[in-house]
Amino acid sequence: MESLSRFHLSQHEEGTWHVIDVRTGGPAEIEHEELFMLLWELPRSDAEPIWLNEKVRADRYTRR
């Protein structure tokens, strides 16, 4: 059975990109050095690598 990805890229009507967390239906949130960042309204050049990194990290933890 094929699993669904936890993170998806979505384009905003203004041309910016969001990384969506499927579990919450809202923007993905990452923590770095005790700072939290919502992945919302980003240029695609920023959103795509973050999306890929988050997807790989989520897949790694769900495959245990």
Side-chain angles (χ1 to χ4, degrees), residues 6-39:
R6 177 176 165 196
F7 300 97
H8 293 280
L9 279 179
S10 175
Q11 187 173 26
H12 189 265
E13 60 193 31
E14 297 173 1
T16 57
W17 290 82
H18 314 305
V19 180
I20 304 297
D21 184 337
V22 176
R23 292 188 314 178
T24 65
E29 182 178 15
I30 59 172
E31 179 185 2
H32 178 68
E33 297 180 359
E34 299 183 14
L35 296 174
F36 291 89
M37 182 172 95
L38 291 177
L39 305 179

Side-chain angles (χ1 to χ4, degrees), residues 2 5 8 12 15 22 24 30-31 42 48 50-51 56-57 61-63:
E2 187 177 318
S5 175
H8 293 280
H12 189 265
V22 176
T24 65
I30 59 172
E31 179 185 2
L42 301 169
E48 196 163 60
I50 293 171
W51 171 74
V56 167
R57 187 178 322 163
Y61 290 118
T62 57
R63 289 184 184 171

